[in-house]
Amino acid sequence: MLRVARCASRHLLQLPARAPCSVVIYRVPPVPGHTCGSPQPAAGQYRSGVRTVSGGPAGAGGLYGGLADSAPVHLCEQVLVSVHELSAFPWWLSIAAATLSVRTVVTLPLAAYQLVIISKVEALQAEISELAKRLRYEVSVRASERGWTEKQSRFQFKKNLRRIVSELYIRDNCHPFKASLLVWVQLPLWISFSLALRNLSLDPSAVRDQLAAGGALWFPDLTAPDPTWILPVCLGLTNLMVVEVFSLQRVATSRFQRVILNAIRAFSVAMIPIAASVPSSMALYWFASSLVGFGHNLLLRSPRIHKVLGVRAGASQTPYRDLLSAFMAKYCK
């Protein structure tokens, strides 16, 4: 056993010396008295280095106004405009291409890192369980020698177990908090691109005119909500599919995990009317982001990817077949 485990086995219980006690963007200020019907001045615009596009919705204030007028949102606007101009794609395809590029470059590596951390934590569970049994025995022996109460024994057990687990996490460099890094990056990125598309879709500008004619099929106007609700429904179904795929990979789930899964399912359904009330550009981005995320989820299940990442959690060699079998068993009885 490695050094930490040997130290833990010799000194599982450490007693206290005494008994335990209780992109810089310069904005031009808006012209007072300007109305939507008057000629559009340079108010509320910024220089993007590619073209001049407008800022957040006029009159927006408070928290939303601060977010919509923040540097990350303006940076996302520049990314979207740059992708559109460099690729010469129509706007609907530019939004999809920008979503795929950003999620692949930024969030896919973080998702792979999350997979590595989780696999290391799962691999430690057997060792932690064995050390916990031995620690429990040592605590019971010391409790008999020193006359500890049940409460004192539980305190000593939990304190020393936390120490042992922390040492194991340090040894394998896999603290569970590192697995949450993806969320702390992905959520602000999602919000920033959403607000960027809202700014571009609602502010009077040349970009807004292009978005109005840059849609396709049943959503020709990207500045208006999807009247058919096809994009919102596709978004909801994709999010539900991601949740179900995640739930199928868990053989047994705790009550807390089931509550969280049901809450996410409810949120996925609630996103449908929300997506139907925002510009189609936002709904298209949300749908494309969910679709790319679902594809990345499937990609990271590949045994070849696990081999490259060094995942050692005993993953299945036929993950896609197993996933299909689990889906059929659950929903096609």
Side-chain angles (χ1 to χ4, degrees), residues 94-121:
S94 297
I95 294 173
T99 304
L100 176 62
S101 301
V102 171
R103 290 216 54 170
T104 300
V105 171
V106 178
T107 63
L108 180 57
L110 292 177
Y113 180 68
Q114 181 187 62
L115 177 64
V116 172
I117 296 298
I118 292 175
S119 68
K120 288 183 178 181
V121 172

Side-chain angles (χ1 to χ4, degrees), residues 27 146 153 240 266 279 288 311 315:
R27 300 182 62 84
R146 302 195 176 191
S153 299
L240 287 174
V311 172

Side-chain angles (χ1 to χ4, degrees), residues 20-44:
C21 58
S22 30
V23 182
V24 182
I25 297 169
Y26 300 95
R27 300 182 62 84
V28 182
V31 178
H34 172 69
T35 61
C36 294
S38 59
Q40 178 68 16

Side-chain angles (χ1 to χ4, degrees), residues 5-307:
R6 289 201 303 269
C7 293
S9 64
R10 291 196 300 267
H11 307 288
L12 288 178
L13 182 61
Q14 291 185 357
L15 299 178
R18 54 197 177 108
C21 58
S22 30
V23 182
V24 182
I25 297 169
Y26 300 95
R27 300 182 62 84
V28 182
V31 178
H34 172 69
T35 61
C36 294
S38 59
Q40 178 68 16
Q45 294 185 341
Y46 68 88
R47 296 180 180 88
S48 66
V50 179
R51 68 167 66 199
T52 301
V53 294
S54 57
L63 178 61
Y64 173 79
L67 287 175
D69 197 29
S70 62
V73 173
H74 294 320
L75 178 61
C76 291
E77 291 178 18
Q78 295 178 37
V79 169
L80 289 164
V81 172
S82 298
V83 169
H84 173 67
E85 293 190 340
L86 293 175
S87 65
F89 290 154
W91 260 107
W92 70 270
L93 190 55
S94 297
I95 294 173
T99 304
L100 176 62
S101 301
V102 171
R103 290 216 54 170
T104 300
V105 171
V106 178
T107 63
L108 180 57
L110 292 177
Y113 180 68
Q114 181 187 62
L115 177 64
V116 172
I117 296 298
I118 292 175
S119 68
K120 288 183 178 181
V121 172
E122 291 177 347
L124 282 176
Q125 296 311 303
E127 187 175 354
I128 291 173
S129 178
E130 180 63 27
L131 291 175
K133 291 178 183 178
R134 294 158 65 180
L135 175 62
R136 192 180 299 277
Y137 173 75
E138 283 200 20
V139 169
S140 65
V141 172
R142 294 296 180 88
S144 300
E145 293 175 351
R146 302 195 176 191
W148 288 344
T149 64
E150 182 66 24
K151 183 177 181 180
Q152 289 175 320
S153 299
R154 286 198 303 269
F155 173 80
Q156 290 294 336
F157 173 78
K158 292 179 180 178
K159 185 181 92 168
N160 283 275
L161 183 61
R162 284 196 299 268
R163 173 183 57 81
I164 293 169
V165 171
S166 178
E167 290 174 354
L168 292 176
Y169 286 157
I170 293 173
R171 183 195 72 184
D172 289 0
N173 191 24
C174 62
H175 195 285
F177 180 77
K178 294 181 179 180
S180 66
L181 182 61
L182 174 63
V183 176
W184 294 110
V185 173
Q186 184 171 316
L187 184 58
L189 193 66
W190 185 85
I191 293 174
S192 297
F193 268 96
S194 298
L195 292 178
L197 284 166
R198 182 175 176 83
N199 288 347
L200 295 176
S201 298
L202 298 184
D203 287 353
S205 65
V207 177
R208 183 183 186 280
D209 295 337
Q210 294 175 8
L211 283 168
L217 303 175
W218 66 90
F219 53 99
D221 185 355
L222 291 175
T223 64
D226 181 3
T228 66
W229 280 49
I230 295 178
L231 277 178
V233 170
C234 289
L235 168 66
L237 292 176
T238 304
N239 287 337
L240 287 174
M241 196 183 320
V242 172
V243 176
E244 296 310 313
V245 167
F246 175 80
S247 66
L248 289 174
Q249 71 182 355
R250 300 293 176 180
V251 178
T253 55
S254 64
R255 181 179 178 182
F256 176 75
Q257 289 174 329
R258 289 194 295 270
V259 170
I260 294 298
L261 285 173
N262 289 332
I264 297 176
R265 290 186 181 104
F267 178 76
S268 299
V269 175
M271 280 295 294
I272 296 177
I274 295 175
S277 63
V278 300
S280 295
S281 58
M282 293 177 66
L284 176 62
Y285 165 68
W286 293 349
F287 173 54
S289 181
S290 296
L291 204 59
V292 172
F294 179 67
H296 288 170
N297 186 295
L298 294 179
L299 176 65
L300 291 176
R301 291 172 178 271
S302 170
R304 294 184 178 180
I305 298 297
H306 288 182
K307 185 176 180 180

